[in-house]
């Protein structure tokens, strides 16, 4: 037997560090080539690292929750002499080979491509259920294994989900919808105050003594349990905060907004949902919003441009294509994946792209490539009940559009007040790239499509 040391590899994202999230193996476990050893989190995505060796796990060298640099030893594996050599990189599939869920909840296909290691063939997940995630038997609930796995990952009790499948089964959309609703309403119930008003804790001898009160008795506030929780900034939150600070303090933001009668948009959504051509794809007002943004970009290309600081002076890069970003609130934080060349997609293809993007983000499987190269972004704050906002521009872009909630309001039509479905369209723009007339014309164009989707036939 020989001891092989597995180091944290460069997973091909140009990143220098990652957090050890969950060990999938323990010392003494047997492993085969491509068995998943550990799940790591980079600034962009969750990645499962497969083993390049066959043998027995010796020692895990880094604890869960610790961030380490690329090249740091993280686990040792005892191998037989014939199994000591790792896979060559030529054994690995292409980086574009995306893993797909199997009935057992593992994955098949490419898996994570690791520089210097490779993945060879299918990656078999040895996932252990994290203790912090609620696991329910959901007896009597009809759901396929991949759907049950998704529910576990999102912390959803299948017994509480209303099924919409033809045979009464819970679908993927049912689980995602339930998880998003739980996220929106998570603060509706206010927790009770603890029954104990004060708590005395033991002060470590190494800690500084509490200052005595005037009467010589230590203040009870010095002995009370901590009222403040410190949360390390890392992973997606660290990447998001860095990007937002950079954007806010480098691009001069200007925001504009307008109210829109979206009644005809709601009517179109209703017709599309009833259409056989859209029977197997999710349709929502976001689909019409996406089409409106793409249409409006063609009329005002500068909102799709980017400011570039070059050695020979600043330049404006005008993109004649649309990689449409969709801001997604996920269990891991805010992600902004984008649909590549969205301008070339018809309504059904765009609907399919939005659905795939959303589900992939909810499952935590958005790849770094899916988040790179965006040209303009939509943030659907309406799902949280918000009317409008002034969003921060995604770095590398010059515009972001926010869609508010759609609700019935009194609206004047032909001199009469009628109930109409009204929303607010707002947007923030880089004033270095586009002036007030351009950004106003763009938002007005988006609003005109929501008011009359038939303009898309132009």
């Amino acid at each position: 037997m020989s001891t092989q040391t597995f180091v944290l590899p460069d997973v091909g994202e140009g990143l220098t560090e990652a957090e050890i999230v969950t060990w999938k193996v323990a010392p003494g476990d047997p492993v085969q080539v491509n068995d998943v050893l550990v799940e790591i989190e980079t600034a962009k995505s969750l990645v499962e690292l497969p083993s390049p060796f066959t043998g027995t796990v010796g020692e895990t060298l880094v604890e869960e929750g610790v961030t380490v640099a690329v090249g740091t030893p993280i686990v040792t594996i005892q191998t037989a002499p014939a199994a000591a050599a790792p896979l060559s990189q030529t054994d690995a599939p292409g980086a574009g080979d995306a893993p797909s869920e199997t009935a057992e909840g593992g994955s098949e296909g490419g898996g994570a491509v690791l520089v210097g290691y490779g993945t060879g063939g299918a990656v078999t997940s040895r996932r252990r259920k994290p203790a912090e995630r609620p696991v329910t038997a959901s007896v009597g609930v009809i759901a396929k294994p991949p759907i049950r796995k998704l529910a576990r990952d999102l912390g959803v009790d299948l017994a509480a989900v209303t099924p919409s499948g033809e045979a009464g089964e819970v679908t993927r959309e049912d689980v995602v919808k339930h998880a998003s609703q739980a996220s929106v309403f998570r603060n509706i119930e206010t927790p009770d105050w603890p029954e104990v008003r004060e708590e005395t804790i033991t002060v470590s001898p190494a800690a500084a003594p509490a200052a005595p009160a005037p009467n010589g008795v230590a203040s009870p506030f010095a002995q009370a349990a901590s009222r403040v929780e410190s949360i390390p900034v890392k992973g997606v939150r660290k990447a998001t905060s860095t990007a937002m600070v950079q954007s806010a303090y480098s691009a001069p933001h200007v925001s504009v907004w307008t109210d829109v009668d979206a009644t005809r948009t709601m009517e179109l959504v209703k017709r599309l949902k009833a259409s056989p051509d859209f029977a197997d794809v999710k349709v929502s007002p976001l689909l019409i919003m996406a089409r409106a943004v793409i249409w409006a970009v063609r009329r005002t290309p500068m909102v799709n441009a980017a400011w570039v600081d070059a050695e020979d002076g600043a330049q404006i890069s005008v993109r004649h294509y649309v990689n449409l970003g969709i801001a997604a609130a996920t269990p891991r934080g805010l992600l902004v994946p984008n649909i590549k060349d969205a301008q070339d997609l018809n309504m059904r293809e765009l609907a399919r792209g939005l659905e795939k993007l959303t589900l992939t983000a909810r499952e935590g499987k958005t790849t770094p490539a899916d988040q790179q190269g965006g040209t303009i972004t939509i943030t659907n704050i309406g799902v949280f009940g918000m009317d409008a906002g002034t969003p921060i521009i995604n770095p590398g872009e010059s515009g972001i559009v926010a869609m508010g909630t759609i609700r019935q309001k009194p609206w004047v039509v032909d001199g009469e007040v009628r109930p109409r479905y009204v929303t607010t369209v707002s947007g923030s723009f880089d004033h270095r790239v586009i002036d007030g007339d351009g950004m106003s014309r763009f938002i007005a164009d988006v609003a005109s499509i929501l008011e009359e989707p038939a303009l898309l036939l132009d």
Side-chain angles (χ1 to χ4, degrees):
M1 298 292 285
S2 60
T3 300
Q4 303 298 323
T5 300
F6 182 79
V7 302
L8 180 66
D10 176 0
V11 293
E13 303 174 28
L15 301 173
T16 59
E17 63 181 20
E19 177 189 348
I20 303 299
V21 178
T22 307
W23 282 106
K24 307 301 182 184
V25 295
D29 285 353
V31 291
Q32 301 291 324
V33 170
N34 288 325
D35 281 356
V36 174
L37 296 174
V38 64
E39 185 178 55
I40 65 171
E41 181 176 23
T42 70
K44 292 292 185 181
S45 60
L46 285 173
V47 179
E48 289 182 333
L49 301 184
S51 174
F53 309 110
T54 294
T56 303
V57 176
E59 181 182 4
T60 55
L61 305 176
V62 182
E63 295 182 356
E64 293 179 354
V66 176
T67 299
V68 295
V70 168
T72 300
I74 59 175
V75 64
T76 61
I77 298 176
Q78 303 294 328
T79 64
L87 292 174
S88 67
Q89 195 168 358
T90 58
D91 294 327
D97 296 340
S100 59
E101 289 297 322
T102 66
E104 288 74 24
S107 61
E108 59 184 14
V113 179
L114 310 180
V115 175
Y117 289 100
T119 61
V123 177
T124 303
S125 176
R126 298 169 58 88
R127 184 183 302 273
R128 295 179 297 182
K129 300 180 181 65
E132 69 274 16
R133 288 176 179 160
V135 179
T136 58
S138 301
V139 178
V141 176
I142 304 175
K144 296 179 180 179
I147 306 304
R148 293 183 180 275
K149 175 182 179 298
L150 173 61
R152 287 197 303 270
D153 291 344
L154 296 180
V156 171
D157 182 359
L158 284 175
V161 178
T162 302
S164 65
E166 294 182 359
E169 75 276 14
V170 174
T171 66
R172 184 179 299 271
E173 184 177 7
D174 296 334
V175 173
V176 172
K177 180 179 179 181
H178 186 91
S180 63
Q181 289 175 340
S183 175
V184 171
F185 295 106
R186 63 187 179 275
N187 292 325
I188 291 297
E189 295 183 1
T190 302
D192 294 331
W193 286 97
E195 294 182 1
V196 179
R197 290 175 57 85
E198 293 184 13
E199 180 182 0
T200 301
I201 60 174
T202 302
V203 179
S204 170
N215 60 3
V217 179
S219 168
F221 295 103
Q223 297 178 335
S226 175
R227 290 159 58 95
V228 179
E229 178 184 3
S230 296
I231 300 176
V233 178
K234 55 187 177 181
V236 173
R237 174 52 54 195
K238 181 178 180 180
T240 300
S241 63
T242 301
M244 292 300 97
V245 168
Q246 175 188 354
S247 177
Y249 289 97
S250 62
H253 284 52
V254 176
S255 299
V256 294
W257 55 88
T258 185
D259 291 336
V260 183
D261 178 0
T263 302
R264 290 182 177 174
T265 283
M266 298 301 288
E267 293 171 351
L268 175 58
V269 169
K270 183 178 180 180
R271 290 197 298 271
L272 291 178
K273 286 182 176 180
S275 170
D277 293 336
F278 288 81
D280 60 341
V281 65
K282 181 178 180 180
V283 177
S284 73
L286 179 61
L287 172 61
I288 313 303
M289 179 69 169
R291 289 281 289 184
V293 168
I294 296 169
W295 182 81
V297 162
R298 189 175 61 186
R299 291 162 57 89
T300 310
M302 296 305 288
V303 301
N304 197 51
W307 181 275
V308 179
D309 290 311
E311 292 184 359
D312 55 348
Q315 301 173 350
I316 295 177
S317 174
V318 182
R319 283 79 68 100
H320 300 293
Y321 60 93
V322 178
N323 288 349
L324 185 62
I326 304 295
T330 76
R332 296 178 51 240
L334 177 66
L335 300 179
V336 189
N338 61 79
I339 300 174
K340 303 294 192 288
D341 290 315
Q343 79 283 350
D344 294 334
L345 305 181
N346 60 33
M347 187 78 83
R348 176 182 166 79
E349 292 169 339
L350 185 58
R352 179 70 72 188
L354 288 170
E355 182 179 42
K356 179 181 178 181
L357 176 150
T358 302
L359 290 177
T360 302
R362 294 288 185 191
E363 295 177 18
K365 295 186 177 180
T366 302
T367 66
D370 291 336
Q371 300 178 68
Q372 296 171 353
T375 62
I376 191 168
T377 294
I378 298 174
T379 176
N380 185 12
I381 60 176
V383 297
F384 303 110
M386 298 295 102
D387 292 323
T390 55
I392 296 179
I393 302 167
N394 202 34
E397 303 174 13
S398 293
I400 180 171
V401 186
M403 182 179 187
T405 188
I406 302 177
R407 57 167 59 97
Q408 281 196 323
K409 293 182 179 180
W411 194 263
V412 178
V413 181
D414 297 331
E416 297 181 356
V417 178
R418 302 178 186 176
R420 306 288 284 183
Y421 284 99
V422 178
T423 187
T424 301
V425 177
S426 57
S428 297
F429 303 90
D430 187 341
H431 215 321
R432 297 173 301 176
V433 177
I434 185 168
D435 295 328
D437 62 333
M439 63 183 76
S440 298
R441 184 168 57 250
F442 172 76
I443 289 295
D445 280 345
V446 173
S448 67
I449 294 297
L450 296 180
E451 289 180 345
E452 183 48 83
L455 291 173
L456 290 172
L457 298 176
D458 179 12

